[in-house]
Amino acid sequence: MTQQGLGPGVSAKVRESLGSPPKIDTPFGVMEFFDGVPTAATVELGYDALALLRGIDVYLNCVPGASMLAMRNGLRSIGARSNVIACTDPRSTSAPVVLTANTETTYGTTFLDLKGDGPTVVEAPPNSLCFVDDLWQRYVADMGNAGPDRGQGGKYLFLPPDHQGDVPDGYFVFQSPTYSNWLVIRALLGLDSLLTTRIYPLAAAADPPTTGFVDMAESSFNGIHSNDFTFFEELNTIVQEEPVGALDPERTGQLAAIGIVKGHSFAPDDHQRAILDQAAKIGAGLARTLLYKPRDRAPYIYDDGSWKTAFVGGSHEFLADGARLLDCRTMMHYVATGITPAMTHAAVGVGSQYAYTAEDATGAPLDGARTYTLTLPAGIPAKTFWAIDIYDTQTRSLLQTDNPYPSINNRFTDVHTEDNGDTILTFGPTPPAQPNANWLQTLSGKSWFPILRLYGPLEPWFDQTWRLGEIQPT
């Protein structure tokens, strides 16, 4: 007769690998077991650990939704509604606290309300770049140059997730999985073109109400999600508003594991609240690590440089070989907003390309108390224009200094060029002594990071015959 649990071919070594030792040292404390059964203290420790891990997972995977809700709250605070568009007239200052806005282009943005308004019509302006994302920041539609109207202007009809019945002719039709949807309009022809945009319920198509506009360029409001317990309250708002099935089962299950369930109150006790607060702070720390110092070389533009791109993988759904690039999704949504397939199409002379870094040539974080230079070699490969904007590493919004437009660009600023054609930029807390310096103010006690934007990027950017210099401490 064989020993209990041991049969032919099952060795003691195999049995050991199948079981649990009496004690396991973990980052959460010591877990103790009696012949594989957890003690009462271990049960309590284990569920606390699981709540922390689930909370971190929720944070990393649900940043896109929290970001959308924060943006909607911010826009509503200045008067933007489903038929009132917030715009930059003609360009944004650093007053709005929103993720990586720029100071060079005219934008319009608002949130459609498909629950309150029902099927909604958007008349897109001509020669524009527009898109719509749902409340979990997933792609719904392109309009304008990248959309089916091909930049000629067209009428788009957006249907709510529960819409049934006939759909009228004469519209480009899209159905969203969520009621609330983010609309972004980049008006390439300027503010006058943007003001031709119309948004109204389909039910009022025979006599459309006037679309309103509110200038957000100098409005001080917050459009960025939190990094503490309130992050989860932001997510709960989305879950309660939107229909069951609006989010994929995996993330819905993660939310349910920490108590965020459609139709149920989210009211953790003080103990659970403290765990989730810690989970959000750890999650934010991990997101910052992925953003500012990615371990994988995929985000890096050059084999041996520090410049990176936030959009990695060539898929607007962050898919590669059947796998979701989770770290890339977190990195992208922690620093920026907006998803469209048009962002993945790298075409010479079309659209835009971006590069960012948060470190100098030695690999050290950029220090607002120090002075640095950055060389843009002659022949900057931008058909339309180029720009360098600088950002606050805490908020990832435009750095708020004495200059409300913390940018150097060849559209609105007088750029000094060296005799050899190079453009040298200086960053520091005080202006340099030399005249005509291309200087951007930084702040002592704060870090910062720049983003290079190339509008209408040219071939030397893609084949890397033109290379962006590293940021040099002086």
Side-chain angles (χ1 to χ4, degrees), residues 6-170:
L6 287 178
V10 179
S11 66
K13 185 176 181 180
V14 169
R15 181 189 176 100
E16 182 179 355
S17 72
L18 300 178
S20 171
K23 291 185 179 182
I24 304 174
D25 290 325
T26 79
F28 313 104
V30 178
M31 302 182 76
E32 297 184 338
F33 300 86
F34 171 69
D35 198 26
V37 180
T39 65
T42 294
V43 168
E44 183 176 351
L45 182 151
Y47 281 117
D48 283 353
L50 193 57
L52 179 63
L53 294 172
R54 296 295 193 208
I56 294 170
D57 275 342
V58 165
Y59 184 96
L60 295 174
N61 293 328
C62 294
V63 161
S67 185
M68 284 290 88
L69 189 78
M71 178 68 80
R72 192 183 72 179
N73 290 344
L75 292 177
R76 285 181 174 178
S77 74
I78 61 169
R81 294 295 186 270
S82 58
N83 69 334
V84 178
I85 300 172
C87 60
T88 55
D89 181 11
R91 59 192 182 116
S92 184
T93 69
S94 59
V97 180
V98 295
L99 292 180
T100 51
N102 72 68
T103 65
E104 294 80 46
T105 52
T106 300
Y107 278 95
T109 182
T110 194
F111 277 80
L112 308 180
D113 181 5
L114 304 183
K115 190 168 189 177
D117 296 338
T120 298
V121 178
V122 177
E123 296 184 12
N127 194 16
S128 60
L129 294 173
C130 320
F131 64 86
V132 171
D133 284 350
D134 73 7
L135 198 55
W136 289 105
Q137 204 171 158
R138 297 169 302 194
Y139 170 72
V140 175
D142 277 305
M143 299 181 291
N145 294 2
D149 70 279
R150 297 292 183 261
Q152 300 304 304
K155 293 184 178 182
Y156 288 78
L157 177 60
F158 292 92
L159 304 176
D162 54 0
H163 179 80
Q164 296 179 350
D166 296 335
V167 176
D169 296 330

Side-chain angles (χ1 to χ4, degrees), residues 89-436:
D89 181 11
R91 59 192 182 116
S92 184
T93 69
S94 59
V97 180
V98 295
L99 292 180
T100 51
N102 72 68
T103 65
E104 294 80 46
T105 52
T106 300
Y107 278 95
T109 182
T110 194
F111 277 80
L112 308 180
D113 181 5
L114 304 183
K115 190 168 189 177
D117 296 338
T120 298
V121 178
V122 177
E123 296 184 12
N127 194 16
S128 60
L129 294 173
C130 320
F131 64 86
V132 171
D133 284 350
D134 73 7
L135 198 55
W136 289 105
Q137 204 171 158
R138 297 169 302 194
Y139 170 72
V140 175
D142 277 305
M143 299 181 291
N145 294 2
D149 70 279
R150 297 292 183 261
Q152 300 304 304
K155 293 184 178 182
Y156 288 78
L157 177 60
F158 292 92
L159 304 176
D162 54 0
H163 179 80
Q164 296 179 350
D166 296 335
V167 176
D169 296 330
Y171 300 95
F172 301 110
V173 180
F174 296 89
Q175 188 166 19
S176 171
T178 62
Y179 293 114
S180 189
N181 290 264
W182 187 41
L183 167 65
V184 181
I185 304 165
R186 180 174 151 205
L188 302 180
L189 299 180
L191 183 64
D192 289 343
S193 173
L194 175 63
L195 295 179
T196 66
T197 308
R198 294 290 178 265
I199 304 174
Y200 49 86
L202 177 64
D207 185 20
T210 300
T211 299
F213 294 87
V214 58
D215 186 6
M216 70 175 186
E218 298 182 10
S219 298
S220 179
F221 68 90
N222 174 48
I224 298 176
H225 64 79
S226 61
N227 291 316
D228 56 17
F229 172 78
T230 52
F231 176 90
F232 300 104
E233 294 180 316
E234 293 167 348
L235 295 178
N236 183 59
T237 298
I238 303 176
V239 170
Q240 302 309 326
E241 282 188 12
E242 298 298 342
V244 172
L247 187 61
D248 58 271
E250 192 72 22
R251 284 187 288 182
T252 300
Q254 291 176 347
L255 289 161
I258 62 169
I260 299 177
V261 180
K262 172 78 171 179
H264 294 262
S265 175
F266 176 55
D269 60 25
D270 290 345
H271 180 69
Q272 290 295 309
R273 185 185 180 100
I275 291 174
L276 291 177
D277 184 72
Q278 184 184 23
K281 291 172 180 175
I282 293 172
L286 295 173
R288 291 177 185 277
T289 301
L290 292 169
L291 173 64
Y292 295 129
K293 200 74 172 180
R295 180 173 53 187
D296 189 345
R297 289 300 301 182
Y300 290 85
I301 295 172
Y302 308 114
D303 290 339
D304 57 349
S306 71
W307 290 95
K308 310 162 193 69
T309 177
F311 204 108
V312 183
S315 165
H316 71 282
E317 296 179 307
F318 302 95
L319 292 173
D321 298 323
R324 187 84 64 192
L325 305 178
L326 299 177
D327 290 352
C328 295
R329 182 175 65 186
T330 299
M331 179 180 71
M332 168 65 186
H333 288 295
Y334 198 70
V335 74
T337 48
I339 288 295
T340 163
M343 299 172 67
T344 68
H345 298 158
V348 174
V350 178
S352 51
Q353 289 287 301
Y354 307 93
Y356 78 94
T357 187
E359 57 192 281
D360 67 19
T362 72
L366 297 171
D367 182 349
R370 300 190 64 182
T371 299
Y372 304 85
T373 61
L374 169 64
T375 298
L376 308 180
I380 299 172
K383 182 175 73 173
T384 309
F385 65 92
W386 61 267
I388 288 270
D389 295 83
I390 58 174
Y391 297 90
D392 185 323
T393 50
Q394 286 282 17
T395 64
R396 294 88 70 208
S397 63
L398 287 163
L399 188 66
Q400 295 183 340
T401 66
D402 296 335
N403 178 9
Y405 302 102
S407 170
I408 292 175
N409 58 80
N410 65 341
R411 189 177 191 188
F412 292 106
T413 57
D414 294 327
V415 180
H416 172 72
T417 304
E418 303 297 311
D419 292 341
N420 65 356
D422 290 354
T423 300
I424 300 176
L425 279 57
T426 302
F427 309 90
T430 56
Q434 63 266 35
N436 302 321

